[in-house]
Amino acid sequence: IVTVIEARQLVGLNMDPMVCVEIGEEKKYTSMKESTNCPYYNEYFVFDFHLPPDVMFDKILKLSVIHSKNLLRSGTLVGTFKLDVGMVYSQPEHQFYHKWALLSDPDDITAGCKGYVKCDIAVVAKGDTIKTPHKANESEDDDIEGNLLIPEGVPAERQWARYYLKIYRAEGLPRMNTSIMANVKKAFIGENKDLVDPYVQVHFAGQKGKTSVQKSCYEPIWNEQIVFTEMFPPLCKRMKIQIRDSDKVNDVAMGTHFLDLKKISNDGDKGFLPTLGPAWVNMYGSTRTYTLMDEYQELNEGLGEGVSFRARLLISLGVEILDPSSPDITSSTEVSLCCGYSKLLIHNLKSSDMWFLSKSFCHRIVRTTVSVHRYSHFFISQAATGKVEEFFLFGSFLEATMIDRKIGDKPINFEVTIGIFQYFEYTFSLPTINCFLSSTFNQSAFLFITVIHRNYFHLPYFERKPCVYIKSWWQDQRRRLYNSNIIDNIADKLATFFLPQPQHSVPDVFIWMISNGKRIAYAHVPSKDILYSSVDEERGKDCGKIPGKKGFGPAGWTVQSKIEIYLWLGLNKQRKDYLSGLPNGFEENKLSKGPGLPSSPPIMKQIFQLRVHMYQARSLFAADSTGLSDPFARVFFSTQSQVTEILAETLCPTWDQLLVFENVELFGEASELRDDPPIIVIEIYDQDTVGKADFMGRTFAKPVVKMADEHYGPPRFPPQLEYYQIYRGNCTAGEMLAAFELLQIGPNGKADLPPIDGPADMDRGPILPVPLGIRPVLSKYRIEVLFWGLRDLKRVNLAQVDRPRVDIECAGKGVQSALIPNYRKNPNFSTLVKWFEVDLPENELLHPPLNIRVVDCRAFGRFTLVGSTAVTSMRKFIYRPTDKQANNWSTTGTVDTVHVLAPATPLLLKKGDEVEEEELDESMLDWWSKYFASIETLTEVYPKELENEFGNFEDWLHSFNLFRGKGGDDDDQNLTDEDRIVGKFKGSLCMYKVSDDMPRDMSFDSNMGMFQNIPHNDPINVLVRIYVIRATDLHPADINGKADPYIAIKLGKTEVKDKENYISKQLNPLFGKSFDVEATFPMDSTLTVSIYDWDLVGTDDLIGETKLDLENRFYSKHRATCGIACNYSIHGYNVWRDPMKPTQILAKLCKDGKLDGPHYGPGGRVKVENRVFMAPTEIEDENGLKKQTDDHLALTVLRHWEEIPRVGCKLVPEHVETRPLLHPDKPGIEQGRIEMWVDMFPKDMTAPGPALDISPRKPKKFELRVIIWNTDEVVLEDDDIFTGEKSSDIFLFVLWLKGQQEDKQDTDVHYHSITGEGNFNWRFIYPFDYLMAEEKIVISKKESMFAWDETEYKIPARLNLQVWDADHFSADDFLGAIELDLNRFPRGAKTAKQCTIEMVTNEAEMPIVSIFKQKRIKGWWPFVARNEDDEFELTVGLNEEQHKGVGIRKTRLQVNTHGKVEAELHLLTGEEAEKSPVGEGRNEPEPLEKPNRPDNSLLWFLTPLKAIKHLVCNQYKWLFIKIVTAVLLLAMLALFLYSMPGYMVKKMLGA
């Protein structure tokens, strides 16, 4: 669930942004907002997935902001943010609430922050509930840097990093073809090469890269590097590495490994970046045998636990933090792949062997271009992964039992594998151990399978135990595994969880049972658990031990076999110790080299008797269609098995049976068997008359061992009964109460064993009961049952239930209710209380469950089971008279507690940290004033169902769900316990020890037992008044991602659908509706409130529904009929709505509880049961007259009723409850929430007043008049091409209502401003509809020309002023902008000079005003723009809401003045605007004066003269002087040359 609220500080000019939400392959888009960098969306998206958790949590959630996307163009990506779904689910409440996602450009990692997106993200699985955190005030929400969308512990300023994953080689790949295909290839091509074309594919943070394909190779060598560029720390936990087989039709995964970056990094002070290897990682998946259709292929994809070794891959991972300022950084976040071809040279240099890889690298780029990295040498030392050593794996099969009968008549053998090395243990040729241990095959002994039970068999591994051994070669990484075992041992002692070792080299061991060539079942043994070390702390927990392994196969719940196997893994040079863990008496068979050798010495065999004390079980799995079972238990120990008796139709059987296993042979030393006895397997089955028994669950136990020389006595004997958890698959399936003891039979035989009593009940036959020393001590208890009624019973065998009866049973005793003669007419019982006595254990933990069954009594004496349930714990129903005496506070003396209730306070409007006390006219207030303005003080808003706050209103009347039908498993998603509910039994229980000194009140009614003073259960008519306020986060029901919701009410046979008042295209509709419905309890007791989606064509779709049990509320002592208000008022918006006044309510409560009081005294005092309360006694009527009343006093007592002794409890206050909406087809998944409350008024009492008017407030009409007077210090954008003079042609663009382009207006242009000063005197007029309580503007418009009706939007009241430079032949230039939140913005400066930067930097100290309070404001405000570094440049007056946390690096924040604007904001109501109209711009009426601008009429003539002046006097002055001087000199020279000849002639002639 993703809610995109708004975006801030988006980089770019004149943007039209939209947000894309992408999860996996599914994308959804918000609407486009035009001409804004701060769009407001508040749009809600729901993505539905039906996937395993691991797959779901690896999906990437990506938020992208796109500019100018439409049908013809894809738009420009502004920035993205991504994290995986698992990161969200790991957060508290599985959500991020009101957090800001920092956007970055994946194509330009040097660009820094590209903006922020405010959103809510929640991941809801089945059974989860969405809990909305306490809404922070506006200032907290707008603190961007303090509310970034990052998990706790992740630094706010994340850096870009490169993740270098080097992939060297792979080994042990499985066959991916059959011999037939290989022969076909050989026949047609002429070559016999492998048909595997492997490559490695890596997924990380939504990116994907892969290596080259190595053709026909089972041991491929890549030596390639995949480079991911992603933020660090990453918000994606795992890197998925797959080896795949390339195929022309479909590539197939051969193995998958997940690399968890948290396991290979440390974020502490001495931590390190994610680092791995070079190391081998092992991959597990399906079996290595190739099949054309692999039914377990999903295991190779990484889903589930692998059942076999698939391959191992040599990789290394390194992380490099990037410096964006470095010139070497390339701009790519996509996958770059270093690939090429290489030669592998292996030098025989003994211990200094090196794998030297000489290679040229080139880059193959996915989607984006990056710089090319070239390497001349790329090598890895063989020692880097550890020296290759020879390992020795030894195993001895000591026992193989519980073999399924289906495979018992076929040959059976076991396969033990470690990596690609394997060993088969055959049933007809096997090495053995007894006093001997053999590693050869020359002894042959065919093993016949022996029957131990008609369902299970065992192999006769008696004195001679078959053995296996495997030699394999792996890199020696034992030190890592030793350290892991040391930490595991510490973690076990501290009962903590330790993450597994990410770097391992030795693969795990798999044991397969094979029958007739078919794999049946497997067991997975981690190699570190059986690794040998001479140091005990380093040794694996199962090394040299005999753990029992259970083989689970595809046969469902049935165990295929249980084996006890001795395993030892170590270096081959340590093999002298491989028998050190075997029990004494086992020796290696060294005499097995040939026939005719002497026999072995006798083995140490111990004889025991096992006593299994099966007492009872509870909450078992329902295996029959009736909702019950016929359970019995099978107990398996060693090679023997026994069963208990079958108990019919119960989920809580009490067997009370002793099972004795005689002459149990166990091999080994007595002391070892005492400390670590074999396990006992107990399986619970349901017996069917036809067919085999159904498996219900399984548990394991270890017996208490007594050796022959030990005394049978305390503290160990006799053993105590204990509860054992029963499991059915991965889910719990009940508990079993039992005890187990294993008694050694000594030299004297069974004479030394404690005696066994014979059968105690001849009716049970030869069944032995649990002995008295183990059986719990019993006492006589009386159980009283309150039979109130039955509700919502479903049909049984297509017939309606007509004459039901309830049967109660506990420990073989019980009682039956009276018969309901006509269920449809009256489902309540005529006799309320019955009781029975029963012997129960004194230990309350051992009390048996109480069974409740409902049967329908039909014609001819037939009884049909309707449903049943079991009360597993009776502790909350036990009556304790001592507690009652202790709670009788009146016996401790008089205690005076004084409470003062202040008179009604004026309404406090709370927003942010600012609290303004405002005296309002009460005639202007309504119920919504309490809801929006002061929820905390006047109305209790519960974030969940009301019944959750008051114990389901089961203070004396309880509801027990009745079940029928078979239970469902975790794998069966379509069947839940809710589907098995067939009705409810309403009643109660009371259990107490029977004694003669039970206290009895004088007015004690013996017919009612402990249920005194409860109301009658006769039908009663009630007026139910349902108030529905709003719904939130509804699941979209239409293809446009919206819904058209309306309300539907159903109570009994009454159904109301408010279809004509549907709300168009809303996922958070505000209903404000009340419905009055008459009902009769108990027939009409379940209220269903549904939200439907209205459709023009077809049937309406159910979005979700919620169900309320009104009956329990009505009869509850918490008095949930009508909430107790905080104040008592007889008029106005807070009028008292209960037909009973507080004094009447208090008097009734005191009478019902037999309390002393109330006694009203002078001075505003009231006394109830030795408690004194004080409060005002005056009340004001609608005429303003004050009069005396005791209702304030009574209300004070009611508000503190839980403090009253003996009968006090919290009374339900005036409230609003938030209930989840659920859909029957999507059980457990919320489809939204609904806010509502319910009042109930009995029809036989005073009629209530009219319903409260909670209809949604109609928005009030306002008109905002904005006058732009002047600008100053505006940036001069233009340069005169002739004069070089700076100037701007200034105009203001005013965008009212963010993203609503149709509402934009602009001023005229102030041309050629050379000082940044502009004069406008221009008026903008914006009429709008406004909701004062929500501080939102309401807009209703059609989304498109094809829309059926208008859609209502609510957006913040924000005014956006922008200053632009007008250009004639090119796009206008953006100079700056400011956005004012009209509810809170800085007060404007009086003069332009006073408009300083302090208005922004110290906004907290600046006066904040609201246009809705001030009405008229005039002043100077600044503009904001971005500098060349793409950072904000701030000017005076920007509010914190827009620019808090500006710039991705605060140290480089630029603060410059880019202009100031003098504006006047005037707010009028719609009526005021009609009375005094004005014109837009400078038009009539009330035109504004023309601005005093310089005369531009001769601008066309003056401009050339100014240009000449600039050229002559400024730019080319000295050049002009030089040219003039040169011209004069040339002229003088020319005149000289011209006149010189004439002058000389005259001189020569003497003229």
Side-chain angles (χ1 to χ4, degrees), residues 61 99 297 330-333 424 461 471 620 868 1014 1068 1352 1364 1474 1515 1531:
L61 188 152
K99 298 296 183 180
Q297 176 60 31
T330 57
S331 57
S332 171
T333 60
F424 288 94
Y461 295 162
K471 291 184 178 179
L620 295 182
S868 63
I1014 64 172
N1068 296 280
E1352 185 178 277
W1364 292 73
E1474 289 182 3
Q1515 191 168 356

Side-chain angles (χ1 to χ4, degrees), residues 1221-1250:
L1221 295 171
L1222 301 175
H1223 196 286
D1225 295 338
K1226 302 174 183 178
I1229 302 294
E1230 279 192 14
Q1231 305 299 304
R1233 281 161 288 174
I1234 186 171
E1235 294 183 5
M1236 59 175 293
W1237 86 87
V1238 177
D1239 289 341
M1240 292 175 286
F1241 309 105
K1243 299 285 287 184
D1244 57 355
M1245 297 180 64
T1246 306

Side-chain angles (χ1 to χ4, degrees), residues 18 401 465 494 678 745 783 796 1103 1186 1220 1252 1426:
M18 69 190 316
T401 61
K465 311 295 183 183
L494 299 178
I745 299 176
I783 299 179
V796 181
I1103 297 176
K1186 295 185 177 180
L1252 286 179
R1426 294 178 181 268

Side-chain angles (χ1 to χ4, degrees), residues 204-205 290 325 392 690 747 872 1106 1152 1189 1214 1306 1356 1458 1461 1543:
F204 177 61
Y290 176 79
S325 62
F392 179 78
V690 179
T872 57
T1106 183
D1152 294 342
T1189 181
E1214 183 181 14
D1306 52 18
H1458 273 250
V1461 60
Y1543 179 76

Side-chain angles (χ1 to χ4, degrees), residues 1315-1326:
T1315 63
E1317 179 182 352
N1319 310 113
F1320 295 95
N1321 297 359
W1322 193 273
R1323 181 187 288 123
F1324 302 105
I1325 299 176
Y1326 297 103

Side-chain angles (χ1 to χ4, degrees), residues 3-4 163 201 468 560 599 800 1044 1160 1173 1395 1453 1473:
T3 303
V4 179
Y163 298 77
Q201 181 173 284
V468 298
Q560 303 301 296
S599 61
Q800 290 186 344
D1044 306 314
Y1160 298 98
F1173 299 84
C1395 187
L1453 185 65

